Amino acid sequence: MRLHQGILQEGYNQYHANKHDEHSNPHGIINLGTSENKLCFDLLQKRLMRPDMLHIEPAFLQYPDWKGHSFLREEVSKFLSDYCRSPKPLKPENVVVMNGCGSLFSALAATLCDPEAKFTIFHNVTLPYYSEFHVALQLYFYLYIIVLVQPTGSDVRPFQLTVEKLENSLKEAKKEGLNIKALILLNPHNPLGEVYSSEELISFLQFAKMHKLHVIVDEIYMLSVFNEADTFRSVLSLDGLPDPQRTHVMWGVSKDFAMAGMRVGMVYSENRDLVQALDQLGCFHGVPGPTQYLMAQLLRDRDWLNSEFLPENRHRLREAHSFMIEELKKLDIPFLHRSAGFFIWADLSKYLKEKTFAEELSLWRCFLKHKVLLSCGQAFSCVSPGWFRIIFTDRLHKLQLGLTITLIHISVPVFL
């Protein structure tokens, strides 16, 4: 785990010290490693500068309800009811708002697990997976994620998650005397871009119920499915959850609204004890009142969302994705062809001198040396050397520049 954190931190430290800027720092680092959507600033700037966003009242400058102001939780419940296609209206009292999904995940870990239990385990069995969950757990609470299954599957769906794999992993964990407390599901998945069907979701939730596991479902990319042929189904759209008291759904504005810097995340749970416990931790993870007001204004502006922002965002995602996959095809680089999220999971193992993680790390450092930041597979606990996550959600000239820089300077035959 420390290696994973070190890899990420090493790259980000160099990037933040030497960011590319076409005007002030044209020779800086091109960031194709951080999952941010940089395609929609013009749309957001125009909307956020409208007069209806410029509002302050005394309550915004005072300590709020730590679950979030009631006006924001009301809008969140309406928003999730509509966009998650809930069969019945969701309740504002089941919503908790904090400063980002990382904070929410840390707070969920603190409430669902005993911080002093050495072998309290959160369990994620889909490899590779979003490694920042490790950070959220270990930095604060000394909890651990354990991953026990191999990322095998069909050629059509490699790294596929199945109930059989869940069962086998749970058996192995119990043999080792580990106390499995929760299952973490990412849908759409980071870094694979996989979108689970409703049948798959139900089977995972039924498995969790059978074994009395909490399920934390991270749906932060739910509106970033950009191929109309692919259908996203939220857990909240299911007509009756197998175990609603142990099912907790996270969403935030960082990805779908291209606002990573706003730091607003939310969880929906019918477990009242959990909501009350999160309320106790909210004083450490609160969202400023003016930001909450701004977020409520955006969530209720369905005309702007449905007619301007969301369709244009999906269009730009499709265009950027198409550009990147065509470049990868020209270079004969295998990749998972998925239509969700901001990333492409690509197999660069043919450029390793030998198929080891040491060589993968050397290739990653070679990219960084020549001013392109990517994310290598071992940062996501991938068990097969050579996989990289490539972010495509930047302006076209930035993507082109990143490709050009690497082609000219990299010490391998072609780009990646």
Side-chain angles (χ1 to χ4, degrees), residues 62-291:
Q62 298 162 8
Y63 293 125
D65 180 335
W66 291 120
K67 297 187 298 294
H69 279 292
S70 59
F71 66 79
L72 177 56
R73 287 186 284 116
E74 180 73 31
E75 291 303 325
V76 168
S77 64
K78 291 177 182 177
F79 177 86
L80 294 179
S81 295
D82 291 345
Y83 289 90
C84 293
R85 301 181 184 277
S86 172
K88 56 185 179 181
L90 301 176
K91 299 176 181 178
E93 59 265 30
N94 295 339
V95 173
V96 177
V97 179
M98 288 186 179
N99 59 340
C101 285
S103 294
L104 273 171
F105 192 75
S106 294
L108 285 165
T111 55
L112 297 178
C113 294
D114 178 2
E116 296 183 2
K118 185 176 180 181
F119 291 113
T120 299
I121 307 294
F122 269 66
H123 193 220
N124 180 309
V125 296
T126 305
L127 280 175
Y129 68 96
Y130 181 55
S131 58
E132 287 300 297
F133 285 148
H134 265 307
V135 178
L137 293 178
Q138 285 192 298
L139 289 184
Y140 284 179
F141 305 112
Y142 304 101
L143 303 177
Y144 297 86
I145 295 175
I146 184 167
V147 187
L148 294 172
V149 299
Q150 297 298 311
T152 56
S154 66
D155 291 337
V156 177
R157 288 187 66 187
F159 308 99
Q160 182 179 0
L161 177 63
T162 65
V163 171
E164 181 182 5
K165 290 179 180 180
L166 288 167
E167 292 282 4
N168 292 336
S169 294
L170 191 59
K171 288 177 184 177
E172 290 298 318
K174 288 181 177 179
K175 284 181 183 178
E176 296 181 25
L178 301 175
N179 175 25
I180 303 301
K181 192 70 175 180
L183 170 68
I184 307 163
L185 291 175
L186 291 77
N187 185 38
H189 192 277
N190 178 8
L192 303 179
E194 193 79 37
V195 178
Y196 296 124
S197 68
S198 55
E199 292 77 17
E200 288 174 315
L201 290 172
I202 291 170
S203 69
F204 302 152
L205 294 174
Q206 288 174 337
F207 160 83
K209 179 181 180 180
M210 182 186 307
H211 296 285
K212 297 182 179 179
L213 300 177
H214 286 270
V215 184
I216 299 174
V217 188
D218 184 344
E219 297 186 346
I220 199 166
Y221 291 97
M222 72 173 184
L223 299 178
S224 298
V225 180
F226 48 86
N227 188 334
E228 295 178 359
D230 294 328
T231 302
F232 169 79
R233 288 294 305 273
S234 169
V235 163
L236 295 174
S237 74
L238 301 178
D239 191 8
L241 294 171
D243 191 355
Q245 290 297 304
R246 292 192 180 95
T247 305
H248 322 293
V249 183
M250 294 198 308
W251 182 78
V253 302
S254 294
K255 313 302 181 183
D256 288 340
F257 280 17
M259 291 179 160
M262 281 292 185
R263 311 311 305 134
V264 179
M266 50 213 69
V267 65
Y268 187 87
S269 176
E270 295 185 17
N271 188 317
R272 298 303 303 158
D273 290 336
L274 175 67
V275 170
Q276 290 176 15
L278 292 175
D279 189 14
Q280 299 300 306
L281 293 171
C283 60
F284 302 112
H285 303 293
V287 179
T291 301

Side-chain angles (χ1 to χ4, degrees), residues 1-12 31-35 127-132 159 190-192 343-349 352 356-368 372-391 416:
M1 174 52 214
R2 288 177 182 173
L3 175 61
H4 303 161
Q5 287 178 248
I7 293 170
L8 293 170
Q9 201 60 50
E10 177 184 345
Y12 294 155
N31 186 355
L32 303 181
T34 303
S35 186
L127 280 175
Y129 68 96
Y130 181 55
S131 58
E132 287 300 297
F159 308 99
N190 178 8
L192 303 179
F343 29 75
I344 296 172
W345 190 241
D347 182 4
L348 312 185
S349 59
L352 304 181
T356 65
F357 285 112
E359 281 298 311
E360 178 187 278
L361 193 57
S362 294
L363 182 59
W364 175 81
R365 288 199 169 107
C366 190
F367 292 141
L368 190 58
V372 176
L373 175 62
L374 298 176
S375 297
C376 59
Q378 54 190 301
F380 298 92
S381 293
C382 186
V383 298
S384 303
W387 288 87
F388 282 72
R389 189 187 73 172
I390 306 172
I391 302 299
L416 294 170

